[in-house]
């Protein structure tokens, strides 16, 4: 993370400016993505929804990655990474404006479409920025660089619930009572309309800022990187074959799918989890921030330890074990102690993305962008895993459901960190 020039492909340049620009982008990722947690509570109140329908918020957001990651890789082939990032920011701006407008009009499906469009822009940004930062330097230390990006991401994510709470969710503790005490359906609708309209201006401001950032990125001196030179197939002993001939990539796609699922459960679903103990929306509105603070500590630990004291793959395995331990702890406790274990999952989850992504794209050569797109498709785990939780908790004890959803995911992540990332590779003698 110094300004020392490094060789990437056939180009020699400083890593400092790219790190700053990509860091800003990861800050944007974090702020927009981690608004989903408080948005779940917001739409439950504004549209009088049950948990299953409220959890359509992360579902609409994360499913866009599944459907649009491959098209994003095609776009990047034509535009290059820098212009592709600018285009992604512009698409996000359109989605933010749509979301603010539709929610103000109290058209929930339209709001979900806005979130899908925001996710579409993010899929383009993620498909470009993650391989970019992975191959900006040696692939074996990529987890450290991605951890730095993760700090930018989670600082923004930790701020997002507080900003959203101050602008939109203020006095939420009395809002339920106001709705219950409404003298007529007309008065009730007026209260709900006024509450929903609170998102309009914040999302319009967000849209304007995203447009300005798009212009800044496109006009910046961010250098292009050629993955074929920086991430050679020779590194893993691969000589021929298409994308199907990299089993460590496909195992990594599933790993990332499950990882994003447990990350969203620990961050976005923590408010709903706390409400299972009878806590009010006022009590739970900042719970997402607690998970993200734990993730920040986990990133700092990763920066200090990887690769100096432990490899990124071994740290991934250790993190998965911690995930199992904290999930079990959440089951055998109640109230704020149980919520604390869920928040602590942020520490366990912190270094998983930074480790999984470079391990999965290692040695893909000219297929790096396509492999990256497949991994970004795996972000759809954030749509599926929470929906499984939301459906099952209607019929079974929510703590038992949480345990049964989380532990198998962490056990697979443990397998990938321990052995799965090496499947199909040959060691090359130096």
């Amino acid at each position: 993370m110094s300004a020392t020039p490094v060789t990437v492909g056939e180009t020699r340049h400083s890593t400092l400016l790219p790190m700053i620009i990509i860091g800003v982008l990861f800050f944007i990722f974090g702020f927009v993505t981690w608004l989903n947690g408080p948005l779940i509570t917001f739409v439950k109140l504004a549209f009088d929804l049950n948990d299953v329908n409220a959890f359509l918020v992360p579902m609409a957001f994360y499913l866009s990655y599944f459907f649009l990651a491959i098209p994003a890789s095609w776009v990047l082939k034509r535009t290059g990474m820098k212009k592709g990032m600018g285009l992604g920011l512009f698409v996000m701006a359109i989605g933010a404006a749509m979301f603010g407008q539709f929610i103000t009009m109290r058209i929930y499906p339209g709001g979900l479409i806005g979130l899908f469009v925001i996710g579409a822009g993010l899929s383009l940004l993620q498909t470009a920025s993650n391989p970019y930062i992975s191959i900006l330097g040696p692939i074996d230390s990529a987890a450290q660089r991605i951890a730095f990006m993760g700090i930018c991401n989670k600082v923004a994510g930790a701020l997002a619930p507080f900003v959203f709470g101050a602008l939109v969710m203020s006095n939420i503790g009395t809002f339920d009572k106001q709705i219950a005490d409404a003298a007529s359906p007309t008065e009730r609708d007026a209260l709900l309309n006024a509450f929903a309209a609170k998102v309009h201006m914040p999302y319009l401001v967000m849209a304007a800022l995203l447009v300005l950032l798009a212009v800044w990125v496109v006009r910046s001196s961010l250098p292009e990187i050629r993955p074929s030179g920086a991430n050679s197939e020779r590194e893993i002993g691969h000589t021929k074959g298409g994308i199907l001939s990299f089993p460590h990539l496909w195992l990594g796609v599933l790993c990332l799918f499950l990882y994003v699922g447990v990350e969203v459960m620990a961050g976005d679903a923590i408010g709903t989890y706390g409400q299972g103990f009878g806590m009010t929306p006022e009590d739970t509105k900042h719970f997402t921030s607690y998970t993200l603070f734990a993730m920040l500590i986990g990133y700092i630990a990763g920066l200090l330890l990887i690769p100096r004291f432990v490899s990124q793959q071994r740290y991934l395995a250790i993190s998965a074990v911690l995930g199992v331990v904290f999930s079990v702890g959440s089951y055998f406790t109640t109230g704020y102690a149980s919520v604390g274990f869920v928040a602590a999952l942020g520490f366990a989850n912190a270094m998983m993305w930074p480790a999984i992504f470079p391990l999965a794209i290692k040695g893909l050569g000219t297929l790096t962008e396509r492999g990256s797109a497949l991994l970004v498709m795996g972000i759809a785990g954030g749509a599926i895993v929470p929906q499984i939780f939301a459906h099952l908790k209607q019929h079974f004890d929510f703590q038992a459901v949480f345990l049964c959803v989380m532990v198998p995911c962490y056990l697979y992540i443990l397998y990938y960190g321990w052995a799965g990332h090496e499947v199909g590779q040959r060691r090359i003698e130096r």
Side-chain angles (χ1 to χ4, degrees):
M1 288 180 293
S2 68
T4 306
V6 295
T7 301
V8 183
E10 298 176 356
T11 305
R12 194 171 172 80
H13 57 78
S14 169
T15 64
L16 181 60
L17 178 63
M19 291 283 284
I20 292 172
I21 294 174
I22 303 299
V24 170
L25 294 182
F26 270 76
F27 185 92
I28 299 302
F29 299 166
F31 193 89
V32 174
T33 300
W34 292 104
L35 281 174
N36 287 329
L39 275 179
I40 292 171
T41 300
F42 173 80
V43 299
K44 281 180 70 175
L45 293 170
F47 295 93
D48 193 22
L49 302 174
N50 60 20
D51 285 340
V52 171
N53 285 307
F55 270 77
L56 291 175
V57 166
M59 189 168 190
F61 184 87
Y62 288 107
L63 275 181
S64 61
Y65 288 97
F66 179 81
F67 290 110
L68 298 172
I70 294 296
S73 69
W74 299 338
V75 171
L76 291 172
K77 283 286 189 181
R78 296 182 64 86
T79 64
M81 289 187 174
K82 183 167 74 170
K83 289 182 180 178
M85 291 176 196
L87 179 60
L89 288 165
F90 186 74
V91 172
M92 287 176 64
I94 295 172
M98 290 176 62
F99 179 81
Q101 184 61 40
F102 279 121
I103 294 299
T104 300
M105 297 167 64
R106 293 191 66 214
I107 302 175
Y108 187 48
L112 294 176
I113 292 172
L115 288 175
F116 186 88
V117 174
I118 292 173
L122 276 169
S123 69
L124 191 55
L125 281 167
Q126 294 272 25
T127 304
S129 61
N130 282 286
Y132 189 99
I133 204 67
S134 294
I135 62 180
L136 186 62
I139 196 76
D140 291 332
S141 61
Q144 188 181 53
R145 293 189 298 281
I146 299 178
F148 177 76
M149 297 299 110
I151 290 175
C152 299
N153 183 280
K154 296 311 180 291
V155 166
L159 291 174
F162 287 100
V163 174
F164 190 81
L167 296 176
V168 178
M169 305 279 275
S170 58
N171 301 320
I172 194 174
T174 61
F175 184 72
D176 273 340
K177 188 175 186 304
Q178 290 176 334
I179 293 297
D181 293 343
S184 67
T186 302
E187 182 182 345
R188 182 177 182 275
D189 285 342
L191 287 169
L192 290 172
N193 288 339
F195 181 64
K198 286 185 174 183
V199 302
H200 191 245
M201 185 55 66
Y203 270 82
L204 285 183
V205 171
M206 183 191 300
L209 290 174
L210 288 168
V211 170
L212 292 175
L213 280 170
V215 174
W216 175 63
V217 168
V218 171
R219 298 185 65 179
S220 73
S221 55
L222 188 70
E224 289 287 353
I225 292 180
R226 291 171 53 188
S228 58
N231 191 30
S232 172
E233 297 175 43
R234 292 191 298 272
E235 291 290 319
I236 62 170
H238 190 274
T239 56
K240 61 181 179 179
I243 198 73
L244 294 175
S245 64
F246 295 94
H248 74 287
L249 167 65
W250 293 98
L251 293 172
V253 170
L254 177 57
C255 190
L256 202 73
F257 177 94
L258 297 175
Y259 155 70
V260 177
V262 296
E263 182 187 62
V264 173
M265 286 291 294
D268 289 346
I270 188 172
T272 301
Y273 184 90
Q275 289 164 23
F277 294 113
M279 300 177 189
T280 67
E282 179 70 24
D283 296 328
T284 64
K285 68 181 182 181
H286 294 146
F287 279 3
T288 294
S289 292
Y290 302 153
T291 301
L292 294 171
F293 284 131
M295 291 193 83
L296 279 174
I297 297 171
Y299 279 123
I300 293 170
L303 280 171
L304 295 174
L305 297 174
I306 300 174
R308 184 180 304 172
F309 299 106
V310 62
S311 67
Q312 55 195 14
Q313 55 266 34
R314 290 295 171 255
Y315 199 96
L316 176 61
I318 293 168
S319 297
V321 171
L322 287 176
V324 173
V325 171
F326 293 151
S327 296
V328 172
S330 72
Y331 178 73
F332 286 104
T333 53
T334 60
Y336 282 101
S338 182
V339 170
F341 274 111
V342 175
L345 287 170
F347 181 87
N349 293 340
M351 291 302 297
M352 288 186 177
W353 178 290
I356 295 167
F357 208 97
L359 288 173
I361 67 169
K362 184 175 181 179
L364 295 191
T366 57
L367 297 172
T368 297
E369 290 100 331
R370 193 178 303 174
S372 173
L374 291 169
L375 286 164
V376 170
M377 288 177 69
I379 294 176
I384 305 303
V385 175
Q387 272 293 319
I388 293 172
F389 171 72
H391 277 85
L392 291 178
K393 74 184 285 290
Q394 295 183 310
H395 307 289
F396 305 100
D397 173 66
F398 74 98
Q399 284 185 278
V401 171
F402 187 87
L403 180 72
C404 292
V405 168
M406 301 293 273
V407 169
C409 295
Y410 283 120
L411 290 176
Y412 180 84
I413 295 169
L414 172 62
Y415 158 73
Y416 190 75
W418 191 259
H421 68 280
E422 291 185 325
V423 174
Q425 299 184 24
R426 291 191 293 111
R427 294 187 179 276
I428 302 300
E429 296 296 331
R430 300 285 183 181

